[in-house]
Amino acid sequence: RLYFDKPAAQLNLAEAAALAAIAESPNLNPFDAPQEALSRQKIVIQNMLRYRMISPEEGIDASRQELGFAPARPDEWAYDAASLGEYPAFLEMVLQQIETEIPRRRLERGGLRVYTTLDSGLQIQAVCALKAQQAQLAGQPLSEESASCPAARLLPTLSGADVFTSTAAAELVILDPLTGQMLALVGVPPIDLAGSILPARPAGTLSTSFIYLTAFTRGLSPASLVWDIPANANLASQSPEYHGPMRLRIAQANDYLNPAQTVLALVGVENVWRTARQFGLLTEPNPLSDNPLSDNPLSPLSLLGDVNLISVSQAFGTLANQGVLVGKALEQPSANAAAGGPTPLRPIAILRVEEAGSGRILLNWTTAQTR
């Protein structure tokens, strides 16, 4: 009915041969790969002739017959961002994670029941809140839908100075750091296996937390004295944004860059990178290999390079979980091991996968890995 707009009882030999080829490799279908689908149909007919399942006349007639495929109906045979409503990024993450254990060809044959970690109510609230925040940042009035959303009503109001003239890119991730489960995700597919379902963006001052954490492991404390002063005396008259001596906890809470730069120079760039790798934020030995340290010392703003929101959320969730990282090793261990770090544990989007008919469990991730 999908490909020929008719029931199976009305198929002729040429059409039946085409469906047999599609059943073997569903991704090579007339909608996605029309030429390949026709070539494979011819192979099926040749095999039927080879094993004398049809006569030569029937084979010649079927090979010459022009197939009349029904027009593609994306809402019925495939998915896209529009048809998925509130869940496109999450579904992409689910598919990618399943494919680490179950081949795509098996997935496309269907007959599987997939249990995910998604909290649909939380996802709906996340989408609503994100749309409301984007409207505020753009200086636009809230839609009736956003205004009635409980999560959107919890957002702080913004002043005129906070409004952007252009649309701000926005993403949202909700993780349970105790279980490593992804509860909600708002972003744009596609993704790759390294957690990049959301695009990588400059880390900016997110790195300061890992600078100070590294400092704590090397003898400093939140009460240690740091100085917020210009690195160059000539800069002192150019900016009033310096605050003199303060406790490290005050410098971190206010995101002052000069104290972070001072602490970075004290503990060393490589040591901060080592800390970041333990949290799954870095996979390369040197994320800024084109930036020689001797010629151009790194600042807190450029230290981690580009990161994505999923990795960042999981890293800070590890702090919330008293230093225990929870997730699943989805990658080959070679990449991060070569960088001197462990295999990353990624957030889990799947609980289990089972066959719909027999109930046989093909994948069970209800118990996560911890480090």
Side-chain angles (χ1 to χ4, degrees):
R1 292 185 183 277
L2 178 65
Y3 293 112
F4 296 106
D5 200 21
K6 63 174 70 174
Q10 297 178 14
L11 294 174
N12 58 37
L13 176 58
E15 293 166 339
L19 287 186
I22 295 170
E24 184 180 15
S25 297
N27 54 318
L28 300 177
N29 61 74
F31 298 154
D32 293 329
Q35 294 302 320
E36 186 65 23
L38 291 175
S39 298
R40 294 175 63 82
Q41 181 235 21
K42 299 295 190 295
I43 294 174
V44 171
I45 295 174
Q46 291 170 8
N47 286 333
M48 294 179 75
L49 282 169
R50 176 184 176 188
Y51 293 106
R52 300 182 180 179
M53 301 174 69
I54 57 176
S55 68
E57 292 76 15
E58 289 175 317
I60 293 173
D61 182 63
S63 297
R64 291 176 175 175
Q65 185 172 340
E66 185 174 345
L67 295 178
F69 291 110
R73 297 187 291 269
D75 57 323
E76 295 183 23
W77 66 271
Y79 65 85
D80 55 26
S83 64
L84 288 175
E86 313 293 2
Y87 312 108
F90 187 87
L91 180 56
E92 284 287 349
M93 187 173 189
V94 168
L95 291 174
Q96 287 284 344
Q97 290 194 0
I98 290 179
E99 283 190 276
T100 64
E101 300 285 343
I102 302 173
R104 169 68 72 135
R105 179 176 296 184
R106 175 65 186 88
L107 288 177
E108 291 174 336
R109 289 210 306 267
L112 302 179
R113 185 176 289 114
V114 180
Y115 296 87
T116 76
T117 60
L118 182 75
D119 184 325
S120 58
L122 202 57
Q123 175 79 12
I124 292 171
Q125 291 296 313
V127 173
C128 178
L130 198 63
K131 289 180 179 178
Q133 184 72 345
Q134 284 181 295
Q136 285 195 102
L137 289 172
Q140 300 171 353
L142 296 183
S143 65
E144 184 176 343
E145 176 188 6
S146 296
S148 62
C149 163
R153 291 200 294 268
L154 297 175
L155 293 172
T157 57
L158 302 180
S159 66
D162 298 320
V163 173
F164 291 88
T165 56
S166 60
T167 303
E171 301 145 1
L172 193 149
V173 172
I174 301 178
L175 297 176
D176 182 346
L178 301 180
T179 63
Q181 295 178 3
M182 177 78 67
L183 303 181
L185 175 65
V186 186
V188 179
I191 70 172
D192 63 39
L193 196 54
S196 299
I197 181 169
L198 306 178
R201 306 186 187 280
T205 56
L206 287 172
S207 64
T208 58
S209 293
F210 300 96
I211 293 173
Y212 292 132
L213 179 61
T214 305
F216 296 156
T217 68
R218 305 178 77 81
L220 295 185
S221 76
S224 296
L225 184 67
V226 291
W227 291 79
D228 183 19
I229 57 176
N232 188 329
N234 294 329
L235 298 177
S237 61
Q238 299 179 16
S239 174
E241 299 300 322
Y242 298 103
H243 306 84
M246 64 185 65
R247 301 297 179 186
L248 192 151
R249 63 166 65 92
I250 302 300
Q252 180 179 10
N254 289 278
D255 212 16
Y256 296 147
L257 282 179
N258 282 292
Q261 182 70 59
T262 301
V263 174
L264 175 61
L266 183 65
V267 301
V269 168
E270 290 289 348
N271 290 318
V272 179
W273 279 342
R274 188 175 297 112
T275 299
R277 288 189 196 103
Q278 292 178 316
F279 284 82
L281 284 177
L282 294 179
T283 56
E284 303 87 14
N286 181 351
L288 301 167
S289 57
D290 58 346
N291 187 352
L293 302 185
S294 58
D295 299 334
N296 187 12
L298 294 176
S299 75
L301 291 175
S302 59
L303 182 64
L304 296 183
D306 292 343
V307 296
N308 72 78
L309 190 59
I310 294 177
S311 298
V312 170
S313 301
Q314 189 180 32
F316 281 92
T318 303
L319 296 175
N321 197 25
Q322 303 299 312
V324 178
L325 177 65
V326 186
K328 186 73 176 176
L330 301 175
E331 303 164 43
Q332 297 298 323
S334 57
N336 208 38
T343 302
L345 299 183
R346 299 303 181 189
I348 299 169
I350 304 166
L351 294 176
R352 72 180 188 276
V353 179
E354 62 185 40
E355 291 183 342
S358 65
R360 184 169 70 95
I361 296 178
L362 304 180
L363 184 153
N364 188 345
W365 288 354
T366 52
T367 301
Q369 299 170 256
T370 60
R371 179 180 300 136

